[in-house]
Amino acid sequence: MNQNISSILKAVSKPGRYCAGEYGQVIKDKDRVAARFAFCFPDTYEIGMSNLGVRILYGALNREEDIWCERVYTPWTDMQEQMRLHGIPLTACESGDELRAFDFVGFTLQYEMCYTNVLSMLSLAGIPLYARDRGEDMPLVIGGGPCAYNAEPIADFFDLFNIGEGEEMLPEIVRLYIRMKQEGRYSRAAFLHEAAATIEGVYVPSLYRVTYCEDGTIEAYTPIYDDVPKQVKKRIVKDMDKAYFPDKPVMPYIETVHDRVMLEVFRGCIRGCRFCQAGIIYRPVREKSASVLNDQAKCLFEATGYDEISLTSLSISDYTQLEELTDLLLSWTDDNMVSLSLPSLRVDSFTKELMDKIATVRSSSLTFAPEAGTQRLRDVINKNVCEEDLLRAVNVAFEAGKNSVKLYFMQGLPTETYEDLEGIATLAKHVIEAYYQCPKRNRGRQPQVTVSVSCFIPKPFTPFQWVAQDDMAMLEDKQRYLGEKITDRKIKYHHHDARVSRIEAVLARGDRRLSRALALACEEGFGFDAWDECFDYDRWISVMERSDLDPAFYANRTFGLDEVLPWDVIDCGVSKAFLRREYEKALKEMTTPSCRETCSGCGANRLGGERSCCPTCQQ
């Protein structure tokens, strides 16, 4: 480390973010590598190091002998200031090389409010923001992750996107690049065309012409070549038992958000919550077997020494082998003082047996997500739980000595009334009452219910993708109203910043015209907009107005059911007809059973997987 860098690290917060050299990092001989991939996480080191997807893709690329994948994280604001002051470019953790030296610069896009970090990282690296401005000597910029399902707001900044799961697709993309280089027929344009035409799941925005109607809505997406698909179909890993598993993760020097073993149990979700994008885009359900998971858990424990294992999925209690898995894990975790964490339990499947198995978890509180305060609204969103389910679940916790419960809700849901909002306060009060009615409660402690309420954001590829978000005045009025209804000091009320939620809705439902505002935001130093201390709503509105954009057009407008949507160029596996049926059922307050009870014909299983034989889904 040179003297200049050493002195800079002494002047910034958490210098361990920038030291690299961690146990488990992959170092390769540059002379024996045919392609280099800089994997960028557009947030801080301690958040990025906790991301399971990054660990998986980092390992999947590095197991290819002639491909070297390295890690890059967004420097915090103080470090960015020092880098710009001293002319230090953004570099990769493993080699310390500038990003411009890489063949690919990849970004995982987990959250819309991180888009400004993507652009600031490109700027720090000296890579032109717009894909059209990059020459043959520049890296190919590739994106993936859940936000890539509507990549249009940032499409002009990326050369290509991988749509869906990347363990198999990313190596295919890099292998095509290597082959074209070795055959002497590589150019950026030729590579992008061939990748889009031959690799399923590759979306190249520059190969599609977008036209608009007079009212500002999209008229059409038209491929400029006949061999480029009109819709890009997402990729999935069909057999999770054979999927790549990172057995030697990089170990951080500093504390990270999730300092524990992250064990991915299954992908997809059998539920059909109508607000939930993840529940749609990760279909169909594909499980790992309990024996494979147990072996992987042992492997990770031995490699890391972590004393907690978190079983991750969208709804862990829907795992069909959960009892067998927990029994297998407990057969050795107790002896090794390792606790189990089940972070995504549903209230209708929380049992005393599960409570007994996770009793060693250090946290004294449990979290449940009723999402809405009344049964009517829970039916609208297809939550398929009732108040009795919640009260039964909290009683199990209270009997086990717990006294603290967190409840997650949303406000601004379609058809919501002030009566529904008041129902949140009533439900929290009923939980307090249940504590005092529980004969086995811990009588030496007071109950504590934390009510956390986020603002509804209409997301692409959900039955509510057409719905308008409440305007700012309505969102803030609803937050004030609920606050007035919660009067018990044993109930704590927290709500998300409605201003952040509005900008998130704009970016979630936006089109390519938003690139003007994002480029201007980068020019004016925006970054870390997911962090309260960095977000500035008035500055966001200003850059949109100066870019001739109306935020209400994207966030607060009801999209037409027959309108071409910005994300219609992507095929997520679930049909638009199914989403429309679910939207219409929501307006009639009708529920849809889980996939385990009956097939609702969403179409996802035509992609293959556990239930690919379903004749309804294959239609």
Side-chain angles (χ1 to χ4, degrees):
M1 184 181 296
N2 64 49
Q3 188 64 35
N4 193 29
I5 296 295
S6 179
S7 62
I8 288 173
L9 289 179
K10 293 176 183 178
V12 301
S13 61
K14 297 187 179 181
R17 290 166 166 163
Y18 315 109
C19 291
E22 307 100 325
Y23 175 78
Q25 70 171 13
V26 177
I27 301 294
K28 295 190 177 183
D29 183 349
K30 296 178 190 177
D31 295 334
R32 303 180 64 179
V33 169
R36 299 183 65 187
F37 196 107
F39 202 129
C40 302
F41 190 92
D43 213 314
T44 60
Y45 174 90
E46 54 266 45
I47 295 177
M49 280 291 286
S50 300
N51 185 270
L52 181 57
V54 172
R55 296 180 190 177
I56 291 172
L57 296 175
Y58 177 82
L61 285 167
N62 276 321
R63 67 175 173 173
E64 305 284 328
E65 289 187 4
D66 55 350
I67 299 173
W68 187 12
C69 178
E70 303 181 48
R71 297 162 296 124
V72 190
Y73 306 98
T74 311
W76 186 245
T77 54
D78 56 357
M79 186 62 171
Q80 289 192 36
E81 182 180 348
Q82 293 291 330
M83 291 170 69
R84 295 186 191 279
L85 179 65
H86 295 280
I88 300 171
L90 187 61
T91 59
C93 292
E94 280 76 2
S95 66
D97 290 344
E98 299 180 24
L99 266 60
R100 291 166 62 109
F102 286 76
D103 301 286
F104 288 87
V105 172
F107 289 89
T108 178
L109 305 169
Q110 300 291 321
Y111 181 36
E112 292 87 352
M113 299 308 294
C114 289
Y115 289 168
T116 50
N117 281 359
V118 172
L119 299 188
S120 67
M121 291 176 80
L122 290 175
S123 175
L124 285 167
I127 297 173
L129 294 188
Y130 284 98
R132 62 176 179 264
D133 295 332
R134 297 181 198 128
E136 295 292 331
D137 61 334
M138 282 289 166
L140 291 153
V141 179
I142 181 171
C147 291
Y149 283 89
N150 179 27
E152 296 310 284
I154 50 173
D156 288 343
F157 309 121
F158 282 79
D159 294 292
L160 68 162
F161 293 91
N162 65 267
I163 307 300
E165 297 163 358
E167 296 100 310
E168 298 167 354
M169 184 179 9
L170 268 184
E172 286 178 22
I173 292 170
V174 182
R175 294 242 72 86
L176 173 64
Y177 172 86
I178 293 171
R179 187 165 65 251
M180 292 183 71
K181 282 272 188 174
Q182 291 172 342
E183 294 171 357
R185 58 188 185 90
Y186 174 84
S187 69
R188 295 181 78 90
F191 169 76
L192 293 173
H193 183 184
E194 188 160 337
T198 63
I199 301 178
E200 187 175 74
V202 171
Y203 173 45
V204 179
S206 62
L207 300 185
Y208 295 81
R209 184 174 65 255
V210 186
T211 52
Y212 299 91
C213 305
E214 289 186 4
D215 64 359
T217 59
I218 295 171
E219 179 183 43
Y221 280 89
T222 308
I224 64 175
Y225 297 113
D226 291 339
D227 58 350
V228 171
K230 292 181 179 179
Q231 266 195 320
V232 178
K233 185 186 297 184
K234 78 171 181 184
R235 287 279 292 274
I236 67 165
V237 175
K238 295 181 180 180
D239 188 340
M240 289 301 296
D241 276 351
K242 296 179 181 177
Y244 173 78
F245 159 70
D247 56 353
K248 295 179 180 178
V250 183
M251 296 298 293
Y253 277 137
I254 64 174
E255 184 178 358
T256 61
V257 174
H258 298 300
D259 265 329
R260 61 184 72 107
V261 169
M262 305 283 285
L263 194 65
E264 186 184 25
V265 176
F266 70 95
R267 292 182 189 171
C269 184
I270 65 169
R271 311 290 174 171
C273 298
R274 292 169 178 145
F275 57 82
C276 181
Q277 184 187 57
I280 295 294
I281 62 175
Y282 294 129
R283 292 188 180 197
V285 170
R286 290 146 292 144
E287 295 186 343
K288 288 186 179 181
S289 63
S291 59
V292 167
L293 286 167
N294 185 53
D295 291 342
Q296 292 178 352
K298 285 181 179 178
C299 178
L300 285 171
F301 168 69
E302 292 168 359
T304 66
Y306 280 132
D307 62 359
E308 183 177 345
I309 297 173
S310 179
L311 306 184
T312 65
S313 69
L314 292 176
S315 178
I316 187 62
S317 46
D318 288 326
Y319 177 52
T320 58
Q321 301 176 55
L322 184 58
E323 183 176 353
E324 179 184 352
L325 174 60
T326 51
D327 287 344
L328 284 170
L329 292 172
L330 289 169
S331 70
W332 60 270
T333 54
D334 279 352
D335 292 341
N336 288 282
M337 302 296 289
V338 176
S339 62
L340 302 183
S341 172
L342 285 69
S344 54
L345 288 166
R346 283 175 58 93
V347 297
D348 56 347
S349 51
F350 184 74
T351 63
K352 183 180 184 302
E353 289 74 23
L354 275 178
M355 186 71 212
D356 291 340
K357 290 178 179 180
I358 63 172
T360 53
V361 177
R362 292 183 294 272
S363 173
S364 61
S365 70
L366 288 167
T367 301
F368 300 108
E371 307 293 2
T374 64
Q375 192 59 48
R376 184 201 72 81
L377 193 53
R378 286 192 289 272
D379 289 345
V380 167
I381 65 177
N382 204 48
K383 186 64 181 176
N384 281 326
V385 296
C386 61
E387 181 172 331
E388 289 72 22
D389 293 322
L390 175 63
L391 296 180
R392 181 194 54 77
V394 298
N395 270 310
V396 170
F398 295 154
E399 288 182 356
K402 304 284 186 181
N403 72 305
S404 179
V405 174
K406 295 179 182 178
L407 302 178
Y408 285 145
F409 297 91
M410 276 187 283
Q411 68 164 69
L413 288 162
T415 79
E416 181 183 73
T417 66
Y418 282 83
E419 182 180 346
D420 296 314
L421 287 172
E422 188 172 354
I424 295 175
T426 302
L427 193 57
K429 185 178 179 181
H430 289 172
V431 172
I432 295 290
E433 293 170 352
Y435 182 83
Y436 287 111
Q437 294 168 5
C438 178
K440 297 181 181 180
R441 71 181 184 276
N442 186 337
R443 295 178 182 272
R445 304 171 74 180
Q446 291 288 321
Q448 183 68 64
V449 175
T450 300
V451 171
S452 180
V453 186
S454 62
C455 298
F456 165 72
I457 298 166
K459 292 280 188 169
F461 296 112
T462 68
F464 291 155
Q465 63 184 355
W466 294 279
V467 176
Q469 186 185 51
D470 283 345
D471 62 28
M472 278 296 301
M474 180 63 75
L475 288 173
E476 291 176 340
D477 186 67
K478 287 181 174 181
Q479 289 177 338
R480 176 196 56 78
Y481 177 83
L482 179 55
E484 292 174 352
K485 294 296 178 182
I486 296 177
T487 57
D488 192 327
R489 286 183 295 178
K490 292 183 284 295
I491 302 174
K492 292 182 179 179
Y493 169 48
H494 301 294
H495 60 75
H496 291 195
D497 189 336
R499 299 170 301 174
V500 176
S501 297
R502 186 171 192 239
I503 300 303
E504 184 181 341
V506 172
L507 297 176
R509 300 211 298 174
D511 54 42
R512 291 193 189 183
R513 290 168 292 192
L514 279 172
S515 65
R516 302 194 297 266
L518 286 166
L520 181 57
C522 177
E523 182 182 323
E524 298 186 359
F526 283 42
F528 288 103
D529 290 286
W531 295 67
D532 292 343
E533 59 265 46
C534 298
F535 176 79
D536 189 324
Y537 178 73
D538 292 335
R539 290 181 71 201
W540 269 103
I541 295 301
S542 174
V543 298
M544 288 187 187
E545 289 175 347
R546 285 182 283 142
S547 303
D548 297 321
L549 296 170
D550 178 11
F553 180 80
Y554 300 107
N556 310 118
R557 178 176 67 88
T558 299
F559 288 9
L561 288 175
D562 297 320
E563 180 179 331
V564 177
L565 304 175
W567 48 93
D568 279 349
V569 71
I570 303 300
D571 176 5
C572 80
V574 173
S575 72
K576 199 172 183 180
F578 167 78
L579 298 177
R580 181 167 177 168
R581 288 198 305 271
E582 286 296 296
Y583 176 45
E584 291 167 348
K585 289 179 72 173
L587 297 180
K588 297 175 183 177
E589 301 173 13
M590 297 172 59
T591 61
T592 298
S594 75
C595 298
R596 196 156 290 152
E597 296 171 77
T598 184
C599 176
S600 55
C602 74
N605 284 307
R606 61 191 166 88
L607 299 173
E610 186 182 4
R611 299 176 184 83
S612 59
C613 61
C614 175
T616 307
C617 285
Q618 289 178 338
Q619 291 176 1

Short mmCIF file of all heavy atoms in Angstrom, two decimals, residues 247-279:
data_model
loop_
_atom_site.label_atom_id
_atom_site.label_comp_id
_atom_site.label_asym_id
_atom_site.label_seq_id
_atom_site.Cartn_x
_atom_site.Cartn_y
_atom_site.Cartn_z
N ASP A 247 -18.74 -22.80 -1.34
CA ASP A 247 -18.34 -23.53 -0.13
C ASP A 247 -17.22 -22.84 0.65
O ASP A 247 -16.93 -23.20 1.79
CB ASP A 247 -17.94 -24.97 -0.46
CG ASP A 247 -16.84 -25.04 -1.50
OD1 ASP A 247 -16.47 -23.98 -2.06
OD2 ASP A 247 -16.34 -26.15 -1.75
N LYS A 248 -16.58 -21.82 0.03
CA LYS A 248 -15.51 -21.11 0.72
C LYS A 248 -15.70 -19.60 0.53
O LYS A 248 -15.00 -18.97 -0.26
CB LYS A 248 -14.13 -21.54 0.19
CG LYS A 248 -13.81 -23.00 0.49
CD LYS A 248 -12.45 -23.39 -0.09
CE LYS A 248 -12.13 -24.87 0.20
NZ LYS A 248 -10.83 -25.27 -0.39
N PRO A 249 -16.67 -19.03 1.24
CA PRO A 249 -16.95 -17.60 1.05
C PRO A 249 -15.80 -16.72 1.54
O PRO A 249 -15.03 -17.12 2.41
CB PRO A 249 -18.21 -17.38 1.89
CG PRO A 249 -18.19 -18.46 2.93
CD PRO A 249 -17.55 -19.64 2.25
N VAL A 250 -15.73 -15.53 0.97
CA VAL A 250 -14.75 -14.55 1.42
C VAL A 250 -15.17 -14.06 2.80
O VAL A 250 -16.32 -13.68 3.02
CB VAL A 250 -14.67 -13.37 0.43
CG1 VAL A 250 -13.59 -12.38 0.88
CG2 VAL A 250 -14.38 -13.87 -0.98
N MET A 251 -14.24 -14.05 3.74
CA MET A 251 -14.54 -13.66 5.11
C MET A 251 -14.17 -12.19 5.34
O MET A 251 -13.03 -11.79 5.11
CB MET A 251 -13.77 -14.55 6.10
CG MET A 251 -14.18 -16.01 6.03
SD MET A 251 -15.92 -16.26 6.45
CE MET A 251 -15.90 -15.81 8.18
N PRO A 252 -15.10 -11.37 5.79
CA PRO A 252 -14.84 -9.93 5.93
C PRO A 252 -13.93 -9.62 7.11
O PRO A 252 -13.87 -10.36 8.09
CB PRO A 252 -16.24 -9.36 6.15
CG PRO A 252 -17.01 -10.47 6.80
CD PRO A 252 -16.49 -11.74 6.16
N TYR A 253 -13.27 -8.48 7.01
CA TYR A 253 -12.43 -7.99 8.10
C TYR A 253 -13.25 -7.24 9.15
O TYR A 253 -12.88 -7.18 10.32
CB TYR A 253 -11.35 -7.04 7.56
CG TYR A 253 -10.13 -7.74 7.01
CD1 TYR A 253 -9.57 -7.31 5.83
CD2 TYR A 253 -9.54 -8.79 7.68
CE1 TYR A 253 -8.44 -7.94 5.30
CE2 TYR A 253 -8.42 -9.42 7.18
CZ TYR A 253 -7.87 -8.99 5.99
OH TYR A 253 -6.76 -9.61 5.49
N ILE A 254 -14.33 -6.62 8.70
CA ILE A 254 -15.14 -5.82 9.62
C ILE A 254 -16.53 -6.45 9.73
O ILE A 254 -16.91 -7.31 8.92
CB ILE A 254 -15.26 -4.37 9.15
CG1 ILE A 254 -15.98 -4.27 7.80
CG2 ILE A 254 -13.88 -3.72 9.06
CD1 ILE A 254 -16.25 -2.85 7.34
N GLU A 255 -17.29 -6.02 10.72
CA GLU A 255 -18.63 -6.55 10.91
C GLU A 255 -19.52 -6.19 9.73
O GLU A 255 -19.54 -5.06 9.27
CB GLU A 255 -19.24 -5.99 12.20
CG GLU A 255 -20.61 -6.58 12.52
CD GLU A 255 -21.18 -6.05 13.82
OE1 GLU A 255 -20.50 -5.24 14.49
OE2 GLU A 255 -22.31 -6.44 14.17
N THR A 256 -20.26 -7.17 9.24
CA THR A 256 -21.17 -6.94 8.11
C THR A 256 -22.62 -7.05 8.59
O THR A 256 -22.88 -7.41 9.74
CB THR A 256 -20.91 -7.96 6.98
OG1 THR A 256 -21.15 -9.28 7.47
CG2 THR A 256 -19.48 -7.85 6.47
N VAL A 257 -23.54 -6.75 7.70
CA VAL A 257 -24.95 -6.75 8.07
C VAL A 257 -25.40 -8.15 8.49
O VAL A 257 -26.17 -8.32 9.44
CB VAL A 257 -25.80 -6.23 6.90
CG1 VAL A 257 -27.29 -6.36 7.21
CG2 VAL A 257 -25.46 -4.77 6.61
N HIS A 258 -24.95 -9.16 7.75
CA HIS A 258 -25.32 -10.54 8.07
C HIS A 258 -24.05 -11.35 8.32
O HIS A 258 -23.50 -11.97 7.41
CB HIS A 258 -26.13 -11.16 6.94
CG HIS A 258 -27.44 -10.49 6.67
ND1 HIS A 258 -28.43 -10.38 7.62
CD2 HIS A 258 -27.91 -9.88 5.56
CE1 HIS A 258 -29.46 -9.73 7.11
NE2 HIS A 258 -29.18 -9.40 5.88
N ASP A 259 -23.57 -11.34 9.55
CA ASP A 259 -22.39 -12.12 9.92
C ASP A 259 -22.83 -13.51 10.35
O ASP A 259 -22.87 -13.85 11.54
CB ASP A 259 -21.63 -11.43 11.06
CG ASP A 259 -20.50 -10.56 10.55
OD1 ASP A 259 -19.93 -10.91 9.50
OD2 ASP A 259 -20.19 -9.54 11.19
N ARG A 260 -23.17 -14.32 9.37
CA ARG A 260 -23.68 -15.66 9.68
C ARG A 260 -23.65 -16.50 8.40
O ARG A 260 -23.44 -15.98 7.31
CB ARG A 260 -25.12 -15.58 10.19
CG ARG A 260 -26.11 -14.97 9.23
CD ARG A 260 -27.49 -14.84 9.85
NE ARG A 260 -27.52 -13.79 10.83
CZ ARG A 260 -28.13 -12.60 10.63
NH1 ARG A 260 -28.72 -12.34 9.48
NH2 ARG A 260 -28.13 -11.68 11.57
N VAL A 261 -23.89 -17.78 8.55
CA VAL A 261 -24.04 -18.67 7.40
C VAL A 261 -25.41 -18.41 6.77
O VAL A 261 -26.43 -18.41 7.46
CB VAL A 261 -23.93 -20.14 7.82
CG1 VAL A 261 -24.35 -21.06 6.67
CG2 VAL A 261 -22.51 -20.47 8.26
N MET A 262 -25.41 -18.15 5.48
CA MET A 262 -26.66 -17.96 4.74
C MET A 262 -26.91 -19.23 3.92
O MET A 262 -26.18 -19.51 2.96
CB MET A 262 -26.57 -16.74 3.83
CG MET A 262 -26.17 -15.46 4.55
SD MET A 262 -27.52 -14.75 5.48
CE MET A 262 -28.49 -14.06 4.17
N LEU A 263 -27.92 -19.98 4.30
CA LEU A 263 -28.20 -21.25 3.64
C LEU A 263 -29.46 -21.10 2.79
O LEU A 263 -30.56 -20.97 3.32
CB LEU A 263 -28.39 -22.34 4.70
CG LEU A 263 -28.37 -23.79 4.22
CD1 LEU A 263 -26.99 -24.15 3.67
CD2 LEU A 263 -28.74 -24.74 5.35
N GLU A 264 -29.28 -21.09 1.47
CA GLU A 264 -30.42 -20.93 0.57
C GLU A 264 -31.19 -22.24 0.47
O GLU A 264 -30.69 -23.22 -0.07
CB GLU A 264 -29.95 -20.48 -0.82
CG GLU A 264 -31.10 -20.18 -1.75
CD GLU A 264 -30.66 -19.83 -3.15
OE1 GLU A 264 -29.55 -20.27 -3.55
OE2 GLU A 264 -31.41 -19.15 -3.86
N VAL A 265 -32.42 -22.25 0.97
CA VAL A 265 -33.21 -23.47 1.07
C VAL A 265 -33.97 -23.77 -0.21
O VAL A 265 -33.99 -24.89 -0.70
CB VAL A 265 -34.18 -23.38 2.27
CG1 VAL A 265 -35.07 -24.60 2.35
CG2 VAL A 265 -33.38 -23.22 3.56
N PHE A 266 -34.63 -22.77 -0.74
CA PHE A 266 -35.32 -22.95 -2.02
C PHE A 266 -35.55 -21.60 -2.68
O PHE A 266 -35.42 -20.55 -2.05
CB PHE A 266 -36.64 -23.72 -1.86
CG PHE A 266 -37.76 -23.00 -1.15
CD1 PHE A 266 -38.72 -22.30 -1.86
CD2 PHE A 266 -37.88 -23.06 0.23
CE1 PHE A 266 -39.76 -21.65 -1.21
CE2 PHE A 266 -38.92 -22.42 0.90
CZ PHE A 266 -39.86 -21.71 0.17
N ARG A 267 -35.89 -21.63 -3.95
CA ARG A 267 -36.22 -20.42 -4.70
C ARG A 267 -37.68 -20.47 -5.12
O ARG A 267 -38.23 -21.53 -5.36
CB ARG A 267 -35.32 -20.27 -5.93
CG ARG A 267 -33.88 -20.00 -5.57
CD ARG A 267 -32.99 -19.80 -6.79
NE ARG A 267 -31.58 -19.75 -6.37
CZ ARG A 267 -30.55 -19.76 -7.20
NH1 ARG A 267 -30.77 -19.81 -8.51
NH2 ARG A 267 -29.31 -19.73 -6.74
N GLY A 268 -38.24 -19.28 -5.24
CA GLY A 268 -39.65 -19.19 -5.61
C GLY A 268 -40.54 -19.11 -4.40
O GLY A 268 -40.07 -19.11 -3.25
N CYS A 269 -41.84 -19.05 -4.64
CA CYS A 269 -42.80 -18.94 -3.55
C CYS A 269 -44.14 -19.51 -4.01
O CYS A 269 -44.58 -19.25 -5.13
CB CYS A 269 -42.97 -17.46 -3.15
SG CYS A 269 -44.06 -17.20 -1.73
N ILE A 270 -44.77 -20.29 -3.14
CA ILE A 270 -46.06 -20.88 -3.49
C ILE A 270 -47.21 -19.91 -3.23
O ILE A 270 -48.33 -20.15 -3.66
CB ILE A 270 -46.31 -22.18 -2.70
CG1 ILE A 270 -46.45 -21.89 -1.20
CG2 ILE A 270 -45.23 -23.20 -2.99
CD1 ILE A 270 -46.95 -23.08 -0.39
N ARG A 271 -46.93 -18.82 -2.51
CA ARG A 271 -47.97 -17.85 -2.19
C ARG A 271 -48.16 -16.90 -3.37
O ARG A 271 -47.32 -16.84 -4.27
CB ARG A 271 -47.60 -17.07 -0.94
CG ARG A 271 -47.18 -17.95 0.22
CD ARG A 271 -48.35 -18.73 0.80
NE ARG A 271 -47.91 -19.68 1.81
CZ ARG A 271 -48.76 -20.36 2.60
NH1 ARG A 271 -50.06 -20.18 2.50
NH2 ARG A 271 -48.29 -21.23 3.48
N GLY A 272 -49.21 -16.14 -3.32
CA GLY A 272 -49.47 -15.21 -4.42
C GLY A 272 -49.83 -13.83 -3.91
O GLY A 272 -50.81 -13.24 -4.36
N CYS A 273 -49.03 -13.30 -2.97
CA CYS A 273 -49.29 -11.94 -2.48
C CYS A 273 -49.20 -10.97 -3.65
O CYS A 273 -48.18 -10.95 -4.35
CB CYS A 273 -48.29 -11.57 -1.39
SG CYS A 273 -48.38 -12.63 0.07
N ARG A 274 -50.22 -10.19 -3.85
CA ARG A 274 -50.35 -9.44 -5.09
C ARG A 274 -49.49 -8.20 -5.17
O ARG A 274 -49.38 -7.58 -6.23
CB ARG A 274 -51.83 -9.09 -5.31
CG ARG A 274 -52.67 -10.33 -5.61
CD ARG A 274 -54.16 -10.09 -5.56
NE ARG A 274 -54.87 -11.33 -5.91
CZ ARG A 274 -56.02 -11.71 -5.38
NH1 ARG A 274 -56.62 -10.95 -4.47
NH2 ARG A 274 -56.58 -12.83 -5.74
N PHE A 275 -48.85 -7.83 -4.07
CA PHE A 275 -47.94 -6.69 -4.06
C PHE A 275 -46.50 -7.11 -4.25
O PHE A 275 -45.61 -6.28 -4.45
CB PHE A 275 -48.04 -5.94 -2.73
CG PHE A 275 -47.77 -6.81 -1.54
CD1 PHE A 275 -46.47 -7.08 -1.13
CD2 PHE A 275 -48.81 -7.41 -0.85
CE1 PHE A 275 -46.21 -7.92 -0.05
CE2 PHE A 275 -48.56 -8.25 0.24
CZ PHE A 275 -47.25 -8.49 0.63
N CYS A 276 -46.22 -8.41 -4.19
CA CYS A 276 -44.86 -8.92 -4.03
C CYS A 276 -44.24 -9.28 -5.38
O CYS A 276 -44.65 -10.25 -6.03
CB CYS A 276 -44.86 -10.14 -3.11
SG CYS A 276 -43.20 -10.83 -2.84
N GLN A 277 -43.22 -8.54 -5.78
CA GLN A 277 -42.53 -8.81 -7.03
C GLN A 277 -41.69 -10.09 -6.94
O GLN A 277 -41.69 -10.91 -7.86
CB GLN A 277 -41.63 -7.63 -7.40
CG GLN A 277 -40.94 -7.80 -8.74
CD GLN A 277 -39.93 -6.71 -9.00
OE1 GLN A 277 -39.02 -6.48 -8.23
NE2 GLN A 277 -40.11 -6.00 -10.12
N ALA A 278 -41.00 -10.27 -5.81
CA ALA A 278 -40.14 -11.45 -5.67
C ALA A 278 -40.92 -12.74 -5.80
O ALA A 278 -40.44 -13.73 -6.36
CB ALA A 278 -39.41 -11.40 -4.32
N GLY A 279 -42.15 -12.75 -5.27
CA GLY A 279 -42.98 -13.95 -5.34
C GLY A 279 -43.36 -14.34 -6.74
O GLY A 279 -43.74 -15.49 -7.00
#
